Amino acid sequence: MLLALNPNSGIPLYRQMAQQLRQRMASGQLAPNARLPSVHDMSAEMNVNPLTVAKVYQILEREG
């Protein structure tokens, strides 16, 4: 699940990730109950710190 992150945009990576995942859910690219990759797998694929991915997942979980 590759996301397009821009570290030079001025927008924190976790916000970019959360927004792109929200957009994929809203557009139907991600099914409502689809399982996201593990924190470890997503961080390795996106080349970001696992804590960043964990933060994104926590935000999305709180939002429902």
Side-chain angles (χ1 to χ4, degrees), residues 1-3 5 7 11-12 18-19 25 27-28 53 57 60-61:
M1 169 179 303
L2 204 56
L3 304 174
L5 301 180
I11 300 170
Q19 183 59 36
M25 288 180 225
S27 72
V53 177
Y57 285 4
L60 293 175
E61 186 175 1

Side-chain angles (χ1 to χ4, degrees), residues 20-63:
Q20 289 181 43
L21 289 171
R22 281 187 209 102
Q23 289 172 342
R24 288 186 182 193
M25 288 180 225
S27 72
Q29 288 178 313
L30 277 175
N33 293 318
R35 292 184 67 91
L36 295 173
S38 70
V39 169
H40 175 76
D41 290 346
M42 180 71 95
S43 67
E45 182 178 336
M46 298 303 303
N47 197 29
V48 297
N49 188 304
L51 294 175
T52 301
V53 177
K55 184 174 186 172
V56 171
Y57 285 4
Q58 287 173 351
I59 290 168
L60 293 175
E61 186 175 1
R62 274 184 274 167
E63 293 175 355

